[in-house]
Each structure stands twice: as structure tokens, then as C-alpha cells.
Amino acid sequence: MQRRRAGTVAMVSALGMTAVLGGCGVTGDSGGVTLRLVAADYGDSKANSSQKYWDELAKAFEAEHPDVHVDVTVHSWNDVDREVREMVEAGRAPDLAQIGAYADYAADDLLYEADDVLSIQSQADFVSQLALAGQVNGVQYGLPFASSTRVLFYNKALFEKAGLTPPKSWDDLAEAAEALKEEGVKYPYALPLGPEEAPAETLQWLLSGGGGYTDTVGTYDIDSPRNTGTLTWLKDELVGKGLTGPVAPGELNRADAFAAFADGDVGMLNGHPTLMKAAAAKGVEFGMVPTPGIDGGSRVTLGVADWMMAFRKSGHQKEIGDFLNFVYSDDNVLDFSRRYDLLPVTTSAWEVMSTAEEDKDLQPFLKELVLSELYPVGKTSWASVSADIKKRIGQAVSSGGDPRSVLREIQATAVRAQSSE
């Protein structure tokens, strides 16, 4: 559901922006500066495309800065990272990119540091976990733009029929899954370890078992005893007992698991805010609780962020800074978060949404944000590690699979990739 806050970004007609050809951040006809922004689309239809959001925001900014024009091109998530990479490789880096990863560009010394383009107030307002995830060697290059967390969704009707209460621990979850299976539920617990969601679902479980992808100093620790214990429990207590449904976890993607939940075929699964809309549209009554942990509620949950970055090639540092400080103003952060049911990346917006009645649906996720841990996105090696997790992790919980061996293989990939950073 698209929501707006009165007095947010000035609302104007969505205008098709003319593409700027040639060099980066070229000078406009009026003698001013043109900033080029390439962004991802968070909408699910033309009516709520992110192009509309950015066109409105650009017009509002230009009204205050008449010598600066902001040209925005929005691409789907399937294309946007590739589009930016091709622009950079062709020597036509945009001034700004809002995409999924920043570390490679930071490693190649292509980006402004946050200190170069953001006010002290804007930098200090980022949620601390998100700001830290945007750092490479202690320097922030990635500016968090949108965030999300996970909670456990459960089907209220199926739980009521089986006489269940929401689980708080792994044992509770396994017992509930057993009861749901006895009631004929197709997916007592949906475990999407297919390529689409494998790194996220895996990390959510590792965190709930007290582990994670890295140790306390940021070194890969994928094959730790805690992580091995977590996947062994999943293999023995859920997958091996037929509690994860008819599709092998390594072949089940997130989109399919979410669709099955919306169809009423799933008892429980980890989900993010977009699942609320999909389930409600099909009349599924659901509840949400913190992710169960090994001995009670998980103390840390998965956090996910998308990133804004500023390329240095054009040299328009001041204009980029002015625009970014505008983008990260309270009203604009709130507007974007509410339009797309995402979590804000600033503390001030988080405080507003944590108590506002219009944001009550998001409040379970907002509570988890301050307890979240993100992927090690500041490492250029993460892309290789993530790809290996997608490839292998389903084998760890499959019949005949060996969690210890699979995690050791992924750890070896991580060590090799990190040694070349």
C-alpha cells in the first residue's frame, strides 16, 4: 500500500527525464550543473515506480537549487547493478548510483567518502549498524538508502487449528512444525535456501544459533562450531523429518515460498515487510514474532540494506553533497520508506516511525533493526562468498549432506577471496 506524509516531498507531475548523453555530470543548457543518478526500482507497477518518487524529489530539489538539474534513470533490480557497472567500465560513471553494493567501486578508489559529500548532521543520523556496514577499512563510502529486517511470519488460521502458540525457540518451532505436518500443512516451515534467498535465510539461522558469517573482528568464520551446529540441527530436526515441505530447501526460492504463504500453504517462514501486502491481498491472516533462537528469542536478527554512492569522476562534489543532504532529510526518508514499506536508514526517521500509528504494521521490523547484523558488504570478497553460499548451502541440509564439509568448502572460498582483496 502506498502511503504518504503530508508536507513531505513537493508533489508534482511525474515527468519523463531526458537522458543525458556523453560525459558525466555535464553542464546543462542554462549554464548550471546536471547530476546523473541511476537508481533501482522498488515499485511493483508503473503507478508506484521509483521513477515517480525520484522525479518528484528532483523537482523539489531543483526548486531550491535552480542551477542544478538532476537527471534520474531507474532500472529494475534485475538490471540496475549491471547498468552501473557497464557505465563505469565505459568511463561514463554516473554522479550517483543507488544500487545493491558499493565495495568494488570503493576498492577501485572511484567514490567520494561520506565526509566529502554529507554534512556532519546527516552522517551522524544514520542508524549505527547501517553506517558501519557502509565502511571499508574504517572509512564510509556506502550510504545506506533503504533497509529491511526479518521476523517469523505464521499463519494464524493454521496455528489455531493445530492448537499452537507462536514459537520462541528452535524446539518450539520444531514442535509446531510437527503439529502442522500432522494437520496436513504442505510447508510446516518453508526454508528457502534456493539461489534467490540462500545468503539471507542462512544468515538468519546462523545468527539465531549465536554464529554468523564473520567473527567479532570481521574475519570470515563460516565453518565455526556454532554454525555447524545450526545447520546440523536444521538438517536433523526440520529437513530430515519432512517438516520443510515437498520442495528441497536448496531448490526453494524466496518468491516461491512467499507465494505459498500467501496461498495458505505455509505454516511458518522468515519474511520481510513485503510479505505483509502479499498475504493480506489473498486474505491470509498472519502473525509476526521475533525469530526464534536456539534457547529463546534470537538476540540478533538479519538486517539488509541497499546503498547510495557518489562517484568522483564528474568532480561535482558540492552539488552532489547538496543533493544528498536533501535526499537524507527527515521528510524525504520518511516518504520513501512509507511508499515502499521499507525501514528508514536514519535514527530520526526510525524514531518517528517507531511510534506513529500509520507505521504500526512496520513496527515489529523497526524493533529488530537496532538489533540487526548485515552481510559483510564492505568486503569485495563478499560477492564470491555469497555466490558460493547460493551454490552449496542447500547441500548442507539435504539427505546425505554433511554440514561441516559444506561450511568448510565455503570458508575456503572466503579465505581465497579475502586474500586477494
Side-chain angles (χ1 to χ4, degrees), residues 260-307:
F261 186 85
D263 287 338
D265 292 332
V266 175
M268 300 172 283
L269 84 170
N270 288 324
H272 52 63
T274 60
L275 182 55
M276 295 188 298
K277 181 179 178 180
K282 292 211 172 176
V284 173
E285 285 195 54
F286 58 88
M288 299 181 293
V289 294
T291 302
I294 188 170
D295 54 6
S298 180
R299 287 178 286 276
V300 182
T301 191
L302 167 68
V304 177
D306 301 323
W307 303 95

Side-chain angles (χ1 to χ4, degrees), residues 176-343:
E178 286 275 13
L180 291 165
K181 182 182 179 182
E182 291 174 4
E183 292 290 335
V185 176
K186 189 173 182 180
Y187 293 89
Y189 178 84
L191 183 64
L193 295 179
E196 181 186 6
E197 185 71 347
E201 182 74 13
T202 301
L203 182 54
Q204 183 71 69
W205 276 98
L206 298 185
L207 292 171
S208 73
Y213 289 142
T214 59
D215 60 20
T216 55
V217 295
T219 301
Y220 285 114
D221 194 27
I222 295 169
D223 60 346
S224 70
R226 285 186 174 181
N227 291 345
T228 301
T230 295
L231 291 190
T232 300
W233 186 90
L234 273 175
K235 178 178 181 292
D236 294 344
E237 302 301 325
L238 289 186
V239 182
K241 293 182 178 180
L243 303 179
T244 54
V247 180
E251 299 174 7
L252 182 64
N253 280 320
R254 179 192 66 189
D256 296 327
F258 278 19
F261 186 85
D263 287 338
D265 292 332
V266 175
M268 300 172 283
L269 84 170
N270 288 324
H272 52 63
T274 60
L275 182 55
M276 295 188 298
K277 181 179 178 180
K282 292 211 172 176
V284 173
E285 285 195 54
F286 58 88
M288 299 181 293
V289 294
T291 302
I294 188 170
D295 54 6
S298 180
R299 287 178 286 276
V300 182
T301 191
L302 167 68
V304 177
D306 301 323
W307 303 95
M308 177 75 78
M309 61 213 70
F311 287 89
R312 294 192 293 109
K313 185 173 179 59
S314 73
H316 295 139
Q317 180 178 347
K318 180 183 183 304
E319 291 82 6
I320 290 171
D322 288 342
F323 181 66
L324 286 175
N325 284 306
F326 184 78
V327 167
Y328 286 105
S329 66
D330 282 352
D331 284 347
N332 291 331
V333 172
L334 286 167
D335 183 30
F336 182 83
S337 301
R338 286 167 168 166
R339 286 194 192 209
Y340 299 107
D341 286 324
L342 291 165
L343 305 187

Side-chain angles (χ1 to χ4, degrees), residues 17-312:
M17 296 300 219
T18 303
V20 177
L21 303 177
C24 308
V26 297
T27 301
D29 293 337
S30 65
V33 167
T34 293
L35 299 179
R36 290 190 302 162
L37 165 65
V38 178
D41 195 353
Y42 291 83
D44 55 13
S45 68
K46 186 175 181 179
N48 72 342
S49 167
S50 294
Q51 186 73 56
K52 183 177 181 180
Y53 169 81
W54 283 113
D55 287 350
E56 292 169 2
L57 187 143
K59 278 292 184 180
F61 174 78
E62 291 166 359
E64 297 181 11
H65 301 80
D67 292 332
V68 182
H69 172 65
V70 182
D71 178 62
V72 186
T73 305
V74 171
H75 295 283
S76 74
W77 274 109
N78 293 329
D79 301 323
V80 68
D81 289 280
R82 173 181 52 80
E83 291 282 347
V84 171
R85 183 177 65 252
E86 290 177 354
M87 292 175 71
V88 172
E89 290 173 351
R92 299 184 297 105
D95 297 279
L96 295 153
Q98 187 271 297
I99 53 178
Y102 67 88
D104 284 345
Y105 300 123
D108 290 339
D109 196 28
L110 300 176
L111 303 180
Y112 282 115
E113 299 177 12
D115 286 346
D116 296 330
V117 291
L118 284 179
S119 68
I120 294 174
Q121 180 180 357
S122 293
Q123 288 187 70
D125 200 23
F126 285 132
V127 174
S128 60
Q129 290 94 327
L130 305 180
L132 287 171
Q135 294 182 1
V136 177
N137 297 324
V139 179
Q140 186 174 359
Y141 296 94
L143 313 180
F145 182 74
S147 66
S148 180
T149 57
R150 301 291 196 271
V151 298
L152 184 77
F153 282 72
Y154 65 94
N155 184 306
K156 285 187 174 182
L158 297 179
F159 264 60
E160 183 177 345
K161 183 178 179 182
L164 298 171
T165 56
K168 295 182 179 179
S169 67
W170 286 2
D171 287 343
D172 293 343
L173 187 148
E175 290 173 7
E178 286 275 13
L180 291 165
K181 182 182 179 182
E182 291 174 4
E183 292 290 335
V185 176
K186 189 173 182 180
Y187 293 89
Y189 178 84
L191 183 64
L193 295 179
E196 181 186 6
E197 185 71 347
E201 182 74 13
T202 301
L203 182 54
Q204 183 71 69
W205 276 98
L206 298 185
L207 292 171
S208 73
Y213 289 142
T214 59
D215 60 20
T216 55
V217 295
T219 301
Y220 285 114
D221 194 27
I222 295 169
D223 60 346
S224 70
R226 285 186 174 181
N227 291 345
T228 301
T230 295
L231 291 190
T232 300
W233 186 90
L234 273 175
K235 178 178 181 292
D236 294 344
E237 302 301 325
L238 289 186
V239 182
K241 293 182 178 180
L243 303 179
T244 54
V247 180
E251 299 174 7
L252 182 64
N253 280 320
R254 179 192 66 189
D256 296 327
F258 278 19
F261 186 85
D263 287 338
D265 292 332
V266 175
M268 300 172 283
L269 84 170
N270 288 324
H272 52 63
T274 60
L275 182 55
M276 295 188 298
K277 181 179 178 180
K282 292 211 172 176
V284 173
E285 285 195 54
F286 58 88
M288 299 181 293
V289 294
T291 302
I294 188 170
D295 54 6
S298 180
R299 287 178 286 276
V300 182
T301 191
L302 167 68
V304 177
D306 301 323
W307 303 95
M308 177 75 78
M309 61 213 70
F311 287 89
R312 294 192 293 109

